[in-house]
Amino acid sequence: MDVFRKLLIVRSFCLDRTLSQSRKYLSSSLGPRFADPVVLNYEDMLEESRPLSPIICFLSMGSDPTPSIEALAKKNLIRVSAISMGQGQEIHARKLIEKSLTEGSWVLLQNCHLGLDYMEEVTAQLMELERANEGFHEMFRLWITTEGHPHFPITLLQMSIKFTNEPPSGIRAGLKRTFNSMSLDLFDYSDSPLYLPLIYTTSFLHTIVQERRKFGALGWNIP
């Protein structure tokens, strides 16, 4: 049988294996690169961004982009100020954005689904600056993290760069993401012959623990 007919049989008898077989079908039809997991590259995303185009991350369970954003800011020698949205946080967020627009630093607004009214205000402020074409620093960037919400401002989504930071699926993808987050300095930290195997086994364990999420409350990794 060809791969498509195998997919139909797997779909009929083993629903839990359908996703895996679907990847094989995509790989055979379009090529391996369409089935391989994509590792998010924050530097490429930063190059695409503009000062008045927010960068919005849709949150998923088990992944937080904050450390990656802070590491990117540190690498580019830029200060990033983070604030978690909620009741009464709009005042502090407003001051942070005003200050960063002048200084050219970054602002990270977390959990913005808890401050939807302020998101409308941010949209209007950015559109006004866009029309005036002045009053902002070229290095200014606004990062936003949010869960999906039906009342999130559509206009803000349309003017933004959007990405999701989902946990990788599969051992290979998990290890690939872990190793991509490491620097060469980390690998050169020790000359001990046990050091690199230790990094590998710790990374492997971390990936296994992440993979256990798909079994829900079964087993030892209860979310």
Side-chain angles (χ1 to χ4, degrees), residues 84-96:
S84 184
M85 299 304 296
Q87 192 171 7
Q89 293 298 94
E90 292 86 353
I91 300 169
H92 305 295
R94 204 174 286 124
K95 289 178 181 176
L96 269 182

Side-chain angles (χ1 to χ4, degrees), residues 25-160:
Y25 172 63
L26 284 172
S27 181
S28 67
S29 302
L30 300 175
R33 71 187 185 93
F34 288 94
D36 286 345
V38 177
V39 177
L40 187 63
N41 191 317
Y42 284 87
E43 291 190 17
D44 289 348
M45 193 160 51
L46 180 61
E47 285 183 17
E48 290 180 26
S49 66
R50 296 186 299 116
L52 300 180
S53 296
I55 306 169
I56 299 181
C57 173
F58 292 98
L59 297 170
S60 56
M61 187 180 74
S63 64
D64 180 17
T66 303
S68 301
I69 294 170
E70 290 175 344
L72 182 66
K74 186 177 180 181
K75 185 176 180 180
N76 286 275
L77 304 177
I78 295 174
R79 190 167 62 84
V80 57
S81 303
I83 184 168
S84 184
M85 299 304 296
Q87 192 171 7
Q89 293 298 94
E90 292 86 353
I91 300 169
H92 305 295
R94 204 174 286 124
K95 289 178 181 176
L96 269 182
I97 289 179
E98 290 292 343
K99 185 179 179 183
S100 298
L101 278 167
T102 307
E103 292 180 350
S105 53
W106 293 358
V107 175
L108 171 58
L109 301 181
Q110 300 165 314
N111 302 316
C112 289
H113 53 283
L114 303 177
L116 294 176
D117 290 340
Y118 181 62
M119 289 298 99
E120 298 278 6
E121 182 184 322
V122 168
T123 306
Q125 182 182 10
L126 293 175
M127 291 177 71
E128 188 176 327
L129 288 169
E130 186 83 64
R131 281 194 294 270
N133 199 25
E134 61 181 7
F136 60 90
H137 196 286
E138 280 298 317
M139 297 302 294
F140 170 76
R141 293 294 184 276
L142 176 60
W143 299 79
I144 293 173
T145 68
T146 179
E147 291 180 6
H149 196 286
H151 300 300
F152 197 89
I154 297 295
T155 308
L156 184 58
L157 289 175
Q158 290 173 337
M159 64 192 288
S160 304

